[in-house]
Structure formats: structure tokens, C-alpha cells
Amino acid sequence: MQFVTMEPKDETPFMLWGLDPVFSAFARLYIRDILQMTESTQVPGIYFYNSHPIYKVDVLGTVVYKRERDDFFCYGVDDSTGVINCLCWKNDLLKETSVPGTRQTGGAQGGFDPLVEMRKLQRARQSLCCVEIGELLRVRGPVKTSRQQREISASVFYKVDDPVMAAQIAWMMEVPELYRQCYDRPLQLQSNNTSDASVSSISKATNIIRDFLNQKSVAKFRPYEVQDLLQPLILSQPPATSGDQEPVAGPSGCQQLRQLLKEALKTLQDEGLIYRKVKSQDEVYSVTVQDKELVIAVKDVIRQDSKREKCKSN
């Protein structure tokens, strides 16, 4: 399998990698993405997913093949997106067949024999690390490329007992959320004062409109009715400047106010606080908690569902 390396000009300088929280964490990526990650040209063994530098991962999957050597296990782990080879090194306990210095005795009658308990602990440890084909395995460790094959050199690995698939369901719900919130968002290391100020203004505008709707118990409103509330935020923003601190041309105050209002209303819609019943040129927003018709409709749906046989049987 041929792997792709990034162009030097497309890479983040290695001195800035530590600013990305993903770099110091075990990234919970799909195996498909681990196999397709591009390798760094600056530091071998470092890979990039969507500009995030990654060198250690955390995977959960089913064992589809197994090889055992004196010093390590070699497991093929499948998470339904791909299969990756996991090199799991044995520690001293796994290499030993019995605890050194012990004799196969029953121990003191009615007493505590530490050697017997040590053997029990060793067998329990071996049962977690010796995984068979078809069982669930969790592996954490750095990513390596050996003989044109990408693999995980496990620092931690253990069998996961999951009879009702609770661990797999929790994993399938958590990983997509990590992709949405972190991995699929491009890395932005350099601070942008204009962007930071914009985000702060949107947050302030959202709070102003939210407080107004709660205090006045507003049921419906149009954008121009709350636009003046955001005027102080536009007046308090400093003028845009260029690199030599000279003012530069930018959008007018009215344009900034309309854009800020648009972003704030979109945020409130995403939160479910407001919504539009009919999308038309006349923008009318309804406040969710104040909409009596919506409350009645929800109650009707619940009432109809409660009449079904499945609800009566419960």
C-alpha cells in the first residue's frame, strides 16, 4: 500500500504542534482514516488528519486475525471501516508460565497464600490480553509504518467484555461527535483578533435578544423589532486596521448591524429558542416556549401515541 506524504508548504511548523490538543491525546479515529492519514515530511512518525498532527490513536474493534510470537501478539482489528495491524508486546508476566519461586501447593489451609493469589492475578491478566478471533479488543498506542504497512504499536491493549454491545454503542455515539467538534474542524493556531471580536459580539447579541424575549414574554417578532437592541455592540467595536495600524475601509455600520443580527438569529434558531413557521419575504420568528399552538400540537401527538397498544401494555 502506497502512503502519501504532505508537502512541506502545507504542514504546520512542528514547533506549533503542541498547541493542538489533539497532538497530546490518543485520537479516537476510524481505522479507515488512520490508514489514509498523510505522513509528515518534517518529523517521521507524525501524521496529519485535516491539518491536525497525530501520532497516537485509540481504536476499538473486532479481532479478525491473530498471530503470536514469543515477544508479542499481532492482532488484526476491524471497526467496520477498515482493518489495521496492532502489534501488542507481551510484558514479563505474559511471558512467564508460572510465578517465579512458587510451588504448586494448595497453600495454608484456611489462610491467605500470596503466591496462590499472585497466580490468580496472573491468569486474570493473561485472559484480558490473550484475545481470540471474534472478540472485542481496545488498543491505544502510536501509529507506525513498517514495510509499507501502517500499524499500531500498542502501549495499552485489553479485551473488552461487551455481551450487550453497550461499549460498542457508546463508542459509535462518541466518535462521530469528536469528529464534528474537533477532528473535522481545521486547526487554527494563529489568533485572529477580528475573528475573536466577531465571535464575542455574536455571543453578546444572542444574550441580549434572549433576555429581551424572556423579559417581555414575546411570542412573535420581526428582525427589525430587535435590531436597535444590538446598536451599542456596533458602536463599541474598534475600527479595522491594517498591519501598520492605519484604518482600512470596511462594511458600514448598517451592514455590520444586519450581519450581526442575522448571525444572532441563526444561533437562536440552532438552539431551538426561536423558529420560523413559514419561510417568506416577511420574516416572522416565533418564540418556541411562548407558542401555544405548538404546545397544543405536541400534547396531541403525545396523547395519540399514548393510546397505542404498546403504551397501554407498558
Side-chain angles (χ1 to χ4, degrees):
M1 181 176 182
Q2 297 294 329
F3 297 109
V4 180
T5 57
M6 292 192 69
E7 294 293 336
K9 61 182 178 63
D10 297 331
E11 287 189 32
T12 305
F14 70 91
M15 296 184 64
L16 301 178
W17 289 351
L19 299 178
D20 188 352
V22 178
F23 181 66
S24 58
F26 287 92
R28 297 185 179 181
L29 296 171
Y30 294 121
I31 291 177
R32 172 196 59 203
D33 294 329
I34 296 175
L35 296 174
Q36 295 177 354
M37 288 191 304
T38 54
E39 188 170 7
S40 170
T41 57
Q42 301 179 68
V43 181
I46 304 298
Y47 304 86
F48 285 91
Y49 176 79
N50 198 15
S51 75
H52 293 285
I54 292 171
Y55 76 97
K56 53 185 181 180
V57 295
D58 186 353
V59 299
L60 176 72
T62 304
V63 175
V64 295
Y65 65 81
K66 170 186 176 181
R67 294 192 298 270
E68 183 177 358
R69 299 293 184 267
D70 293 337
D71 295 329
F72 61 88
F73 296 103
C74 185
Y75 296 115
V77 179
D78 183 359
D79 70 344
S80 77
T81 67
V83 180
I84 192 168
N85 189 59
C86 299
L87 196 63
C88 304
W89 294 92
K90 297 180 181 180
N91 57 20
D92 293 337
L93 286 177
L94 291 177
K95 295 178 183 178
E96 296 171 359
T97 57
S98 61
V99 180
T102 62
R103 293 180 297 174
Q104 302 297 328
T105 61
Q109 294 183 355
F112 176 80
D113 189 342
L115 299 180
V116 174
E117 298 301 323
M118 180 64 75
R119 284 196 293 270
K120 292 180 180 179
L121 180 61
Q122 179 179 335
R123 287 194 294 268
R125 180 74 176 272
Q126 289 176 337
S127 66
L128 287 177
C129 296
C130 299
V131 186
E132 301 299 330
I133 294 177
E135 293 181 326
L136 196 63
L137 180 67
R138 182 156 182 190
V139 180
R140 306 178 75 182
V143 181
K144 304 291 184 182
T145 301
S146 176
R147 298 187 181 91
Q148 297 297 318
Q149 182 180 10
R150 193 158 293 174
E151 61 185 15
I152 301 174
S153 181
S155 56
V156 177
F157 68 99
Y158 57 90
K159 179 174 65 175
V160 179
D161 292 326
D162 193 24
V164 295
M165 301 184 68
Q168 296 178 73
I169 293 174
W171 184 276
M172 288 187 291
M173 294 179 65
E174 182 179 4
V175 172
E177 187 65 21
L178 288 173
Y179 270 85
R180 285 190 293 267
Q181 297 296 333
C182 186
Y183 304 144
D184 285 340
R185 293 188 176 184
L187 176 62
Q188 297 179 352
L189 295 175
Q190 297 180 351
S191 176
N192 188 329
N193 295 331
T194 303
S195 177
D196 295 342
S198 176
V199 173
S200 177
S201 298
I202 294 173
S203 178
K204 292 179 181 179
T206 303
N207 292 332
I208 290 174
I209 297 176
R210 184 187 292 108
D211 293 341
F212 171 77
L213 298 178
N214 292 335
Q215 293 174 4
K216 302 297 183 180
S217 299
V218 178
K220 296 181 180 180
F221 69 95
R222 290 177 172 82
Y224 66 81
E225 296 174 357
V226 297
Q227 181 171 305
D228 292 341
L229 299 174
L230 309 183
Q231 187 68 37
L233 298 179
I234 300 299
L235 296 177
S236 63
Q237 289 184 0
T241 58
S242 61
D244 53 0
Q245 301 299 320
E246 293 182 358
V248 297
S252 64
C254 292
Q255 292 175 333
Q256 295 180 29
L257 184 60
R258 286 195 296 267
Q259 182 64 26
L260 180 60
L261 177 62
K262 180 180 177 181
E263 295 291 339
L265 293 177
K266 182 179 183 301
T267 301
L268 292 174
Q269 279 187 290
D270 294 339
E271 294 177 358
L273 183 64
I274 62 176
Y275 72 99
R276 292 177 61 186
K277 291 184 178 180
V278 180
K279 290 187 177 181
S280 61
Q281 292 183 350
D282 184 18
E283 295 185 52
V284 179
Y285 290 89
S286 299
V287 181
T288 305
V289 296
Q290 299 292 341
D291 193 339
K292 297 181 179 180
E293 296 180 0
L294 178 61
V295 174
I296 294 174
V298 172
K299 288 183 178 179
D300 289 340
V301 172
I302 296 175
R303 190 179 298 110
Q304 293 296 328
D305 286 347
S306 301
K307 293 180 181 179
R308 296 183 179 181
E309 293 295 331
K310 64 176 182 179
C311 297
K312 293 180 179 180
S313 60
N314 293 334

